Amino acid sequence: MSFTCCISFLSCKEEKEAKEDVAVVHVTGVSLDKKNVALEPDSTVQLTATVAPENASSKEVTWHSTAENFASVNSQTGLVTAKAEGTALVVVATVDGRFTDTCAVTIIHIDVPVTGVSLDTSAVTLVPGDTLRLTATVTPKNADISGVTWRSTANACATVSLAGRVTAIAAGTASVIVTSVNGGFTDTCTVTVVQPATGVSLDVKAVALKPQATVQLTAAVRPENADFPDVTWHSANTTVANVNDKGLVTAIANGTAAIVVTTVDGSFTDTCTVTVADIAISVTGVSLDTNTVTLDPEATIQLTATVTPENADVREVTWHSTGEIVAAVSQTGFVTAMTPGTTSIVVTTSDGRLTDTCTVTVLYKLIADLNPAPLTYDMLPDPTPPNGAYWEHGNSFKLWEHKEGYGHGVKIVIVGESFSREDNSNDGLYETWCKKMASRLLNNDIVKNFRSYIDVYVAVAESPVSRINATTPGFFGTTTKIGTNFGKANTFTVQASPELSGFLNRSFILIANGMMGGWANFGYPAGNAGSAWWSTDMGSESGNDISTYWMMHEFMGHGFASLADEYPGAMNTYDFAWQRDGMVCNVSSANDLTKVPWKRFIGREGYEEVGAYGVCYDSRSCDPVWRPERHSIMVDDSQGHYYNAQSRWLIYKHIYDCSKFLDNRSGSSDTAKPKKYEPGEENGLFEAFLELDELYNVK
């Protein structure tokens, strides 16, 4: 028993000694690797705690945040997570001794810009009235400013609301564009709006056919701008009538069949009832492809008549014009404009005498070649006498020819007086002066713009002697006393140039070989007038331009346009009844601006100078003649040889009448009068003149 107790005592002692040999090392402190840290929301940071001493028996620590709503910390690992803007202290504590350290955590906001925007669809097809909500996604999701704007490039086609709702309006294509408020990034959806068919109708609802006859049906899909206008055809009774895929119906046998047209889009239908029988089919109507047309003179147009029904037994038509002088029509419906005015072109069916009408208006139109280059006499043709070296008495030749398509040609004939046989030699005195006079005429400030309408002829007359003298008169009776037989000269021009016979649009110029004054004769028919002017002496190459002045005053003024001298106090010289026949319309017996021949100019822009002016010679008391402007070549030659507005108009009108109305005058060339205009009829021509006059008015 004593032995056992001794052993137990020894064991306890050894255990105590062993424990005293292992010493406990207590914690003396703790420190963090970071004392301050700034984080963005949703970011993290790992904190590391160092326990001192390094050999501490227990290094266990705990973690906590003083503001979990701003920053949290994993209690075991020290991983800090930022939550929202603010500050928090993250505290680490040792289990042994409760030593602590802290890290100040600041959560700050960093701006997040937009990097892009995208739509949930890039293309869509709608019909009018449809709507569609587009969704835009802004990236990144946490972008600070995620707003967008919307717009349509074609609101008439499709609109878009502030919320991205697209509404289709009408057929077409629009781009709906979304744009980020921040950064201006865009994306696009192409919106195609198609117009669906809403119905269909046939041009014929019922038709009667004979067996084997055909009729073409035409389907009109509504609306006209339907995107899918295709149709299909079928016959409900193919033993009576068939129809092909173009709507052509063919009768087979007696009976009745319904021909049905169906739209591919929407399956809308219409029906034509076809009755097949051995019957006569009469015309029920006729229509023209147009019922009004406006043409320039000499223009053409083809009219087309449609007889209904298409399968009528007799489909022939006839054509006629109610005013052939305005416009003519062939029996194929081909219309040719003739002269200004209005007429009706009537088509009539042979079966039933049914009609339709097209109103044709022919405009007043005269084309001008504005400001062409000057012509010199050596630029004109060099004719050769037909029989040797001399131009024989009664011969003629042409120095200028009107251009094709420019009317009938305004005929002007140059006739020489007191030129001998020697003067009439090839390239002799007469030929030279004819070319000079023709070039001066064609360079006239009005005529030069209408050269394309002019024909200039030369008639060769042989006088007993060269140059006018007191004892031996020229061929037409001219002497130094200035006298000639204009009737004889007029007759001679026609005999020399037979192509002029019967025409009323010819005027002639009489060139007198010698020093003498110029004068003119005008009368019936207007335009058949002559002028004699200063010629081989007063129009020499010395620089004296008096021949040009007399050509403009005597020939173009008096002889061609039947203008009067505008001399003050000369009223008793004129028979104002002549104005009814288109003469002396550049003067007036009264200054009533509502009645003067030039009243249409009054108040017009650009014609402010036009009024009524009259002065007596030497301040004597008289009844003056009234003229439209203070100066004109018809009253003096001190203002650069110009025509006033009324004179230009009358010259223009005479060129027009002569080139357009050859077939509108009747009677002989000696007694006929010029074309008469109905009240208001020439207004169109006057307006055309004003347009041209604005361009080439030389004043």
Side-chain angles (χ1 to χ4, degrees), residues 166-180:
V166 177
T167 300
I169 304 299
T173 301
S175 294
V176 173
I177 302 172
V178 64
T179 304
S180 65

Side-chain angles (χ1 to χ4, degrees), residues 422-505:
E422 185 66 28
D423 294 333
N424 291 340
S425 63
N426 186 26
D427 296 326
L429 181 65
Y430 179 53
E431 182 181 321
T432 299
W433 271 103
C434 285
K435 290 182 177 180
K436 290 179 180 180
M437 292 300 103
S439 64
R440 288 169 181 172
L441 167 70
L442 295 171
N443 286 323
N444 175 276
D445 65 344
I446 301 298
V447 176
K448 69 179 180 180
N449 298 294
F450 299 98
R451 292 174 186 165
S452 296
Y453 292 90
I454 304 293
D455 287 322
V456 179
Y457 296 83
V458 172
V460 182
E462 183 180 313
S463 294
V465 294
S466 179
R467 294 178 57 83
I468 297 168
N469 61 66
T471 59
T472 307
F475 178 73
F476 302 117
T478 309
T479 68
T480 52
K481 295 182 180 179
I482 310 179
T484 191
N485 187 328
F486 277 102
K488 184 177 180 180
N490 182 38
T491 301
F492 180 81
T493 63
V494 177
Q495 293 172 343
S497 301
E499 62 185 286
L500 301 176
S501 179
F503 290 124
L504 302 174
N505 68 331

